[in-house]
Amino acid sequence: MKHASQQRTRHRQRGASLLLMVIIAALIFFGLFSIRSPVSLRTDQESASAAVLAQAKAALIGYAATYKETHPGELAGYLPCPDTNNDGEYTPADNCGLKDVSVVGRLPWKTLGLPPLRDGDGECLWYAVSGRAKNDNKADVYNWDTPGQFIVQTPSGQVLAGATPHARPLAVIFSVGRPINGQNRSAGGGECPGSAADAAAAYLEGLGALGTGNTTVTVADAVTRGNGTNNDSALWVTSADIFGPIRKRSDFKTDVEAMLNNVATHLNTLTPLALPATSTNKGVGDPIAETAGSLAKLYLDSGVAGYNRNFFKNWSNNLLYAKLGSPVKVNGESGCYAVLVFGGERLPAQSRDPVAPSTEA
């Protein structure tokens, strides 16, 4: 009996030892495979940041494309001012700067109908908008010829966006990453870390001075990420991004045709001698300065108001006008002493002033 008892004890000991070895092996296996390399972890964080940047860009484009519906009486295309007090939206309490002055702040996620998007490091997105495209303290003229005010480059100076005026982004969205290089960020108590008093410099390393001119944005590369001098990632919004969807809207064509018809109707009230002369660039004149004797001045003085007046002021640089020496037939109608044409979108090689008409229109 004693011998049998000893055998059972040895069997239990061997069984317990085997179970312990299995547990240890499992822990080692799962432990080894759960350890991520820094490179792999960084790649995942960058992928997460890229995804929320793309989501934010799509929301901004949608906001601009539907601005006419959400803001009755306004034209489509405007971008929201940033959230400068960290409440998730732009309100009059935020500071959107003077006319034409670019502004930076957090992405106004509530205004865009988004959750508080966070990058791969858990920080909420930041956002800078050109003064010419913002929806408060608006520019005098804003259309598809309006150049943005940002030039995006690498630390070595390679231009990623904005090599030419019409290629300059209208807005830039930032993934700011974790604090580096002595940056001090308050914890805050809202949806997004930080407080209303946080300066952009506590989050952005590569944003140049903002104003009415161009601002250089330097994004991070592998070197600056490694040495801790810049870890900003960015995605930008161009004029083509904004006005591509607007151009496809049926009501945009309707607005253009209404502008042409309204101006033509006014011109038809004038005698041939009273028609304004053709300007050197065949434009209709400055709709802001309303130069005496120009078609723009005559039309705006005719009593046009509201949406039609606003549309003309913002889009009349695309109109070409010529007074003819003798009557011709235009679109099947004889006896025309002047021609009015909407030039349409510029070609890639063309450059236009958004206010003064261009001879390249």
Side-chain angles (χ1 to χ4, degrees):
M1 295 295 293
K2 182 177 180 181
H3 178 71
S5 175
Q6 288 175 339
Q7 283 185 328
R8 285 195 296 271
T9 301
R10 284 196 295 271
H11 284 310
R12 283 196 297 269
Q13 288 174 340
R14 283 198 297 270
S17 298
L18 181 60
L19 178 60
L20 181 60
M21 291 175 64
V22 170
I23 293 173
I24 292 173
L27 289 173
I28 292 173
F29 177 84
F30 288 110
L32 286 174
F33 280 87
S34 65
I35 295 173
R36 305 290 302 280
S37 72
V39 173
S40 176
L41 182 60
R42 186 67 244 168
T43 300
D44 286 350
Q45 290 171 329
E46 290 174 359
S47 296
S49 297
V52 293
L53 286 171
Q55 188 177 355
K57 176 176 178 175
L60 286 168
I61 293 171
Y63 178 93
T66 58
Y67 193 81
K68 181 178 178 180
E69 283 71 32
T70 56
H71 298 76
E74 299 277 2
L75 307 186
Y78 290 101
L79 289 165
C81 289
D83 166 23
T84 59
N85 61 8
N86 200 20
D87 63 358
E89 59 186 333
Y90 173 73
T91 67
D94 292 87
N95 179 15
C96 202
L98 300 175
K99 183 176 69 174
D100 295 332
V101 174
S102 300
V103 191
V104 68
R106 290 176 176 84
L107 183 76
W109 50 273
K110 287 183 181 178
T111 302
L112 296 171
L114 295 171
L117 300 179
R118 296 174 182 266
D119 64 18
D121 289 291
E123 291 285 355
C124 285
L125 302 183
W126 279 63
Y127 160 71
V129 62
S130 294
R132 300 174 191 138
K134 64 187 181 183
N135 69 334
D136 200 355
N137 295 328
K138 295 183 179 73
D140 290 329
V141 174
Y142 177 52
N143 60 41
W144 55 30
D145 294 329
T146 301
Q149 290 165 263
F150 298 104
I151 299 171
V152 184
Q153 66 177 23
T154 65
S156 63
Q158 178 189 358
V159 175
L160 302 176
T164 62
H166 289 297
R168 291 174 193 150
L170 294 173
V172 181
I173 317 156
F174 297 93
S175 161
V176 299
R178 65 187 186 280
I180 61 171
N181 202 24
Q183 289 174 329
N184 185 18
R185 303 175 185 175
S186 58
E191 292 279 3
C192 287
S195 70
D198 287 336
Y203 292 83
L204 299 168
E205 298 81 54
L207 180 66
L210 297 167
T212 58
N214 297 321
T215 297
T216 299
V217 175
T218 304
V219 295
D221 62 9
V223 174
T224 63
R225 289 187 189 281
N227 62 27
T229 57
N230 187 337
N231 64 350
D232 296 341
S233 298
L235 194 61
W236 42 91
V237 181
T238 65
S239 177
D241 292 326
I242 297 298
F243 288 98
I246 293 172
R247 176 178 54 81
K248 297 175 183 177
R249 292 179 53 139
S250 60
D251 59 351
F252 177 70
K253 180 182 178 182
T254 301
D255 287 341
V256 171
E257 290 175 344
M259 177 173 65
L260 286 168
N261 291 333
N262 291 339
V263 176
T265 298
H266 174 65
L267 291 175
N268 284 329
T269 65
L270 306 176
T271 65
L273 288 177
L275 289 170
T278 304
S279 66
T280 55
N281 59 16
K282 296 183 175 60
V284 300
D286 187 337
I288 307 305
E290 298 185 26
T291 308
S294 69
L295 190 157
K297 173 67 172 173
L298 291 173
Y299 175 64
L300 292 172
D301 283 350
S302 70
V304 61
Y307 185 85
N308 288 336
R309 186 181 187 90
N310 195 15
F311 192 88
F312 178 84
K313 283 201 166 190
N314 280 276
W315 287 93
S316 63
N317 79 300
N318 280 255
L319 292 177
L320 296 174
Y321 166 81
K323 180 179 180 179
L324 307 175
S326 57
V328 298
K329 181 182 288 188
V330 179
N331 290 338
E333 185 174 344
S334 301
C336 297
Y337 284 86
V339 177
L340 185 68
V341 177
F342 184 78
E345 286 184 287
R346 62 180 182 82
L347 297 176
Q350 293 176 332
S351 179
R352 293 182 187 167
D353 186 312
V355 177
S358 169
T359 54
E360 294 179 317

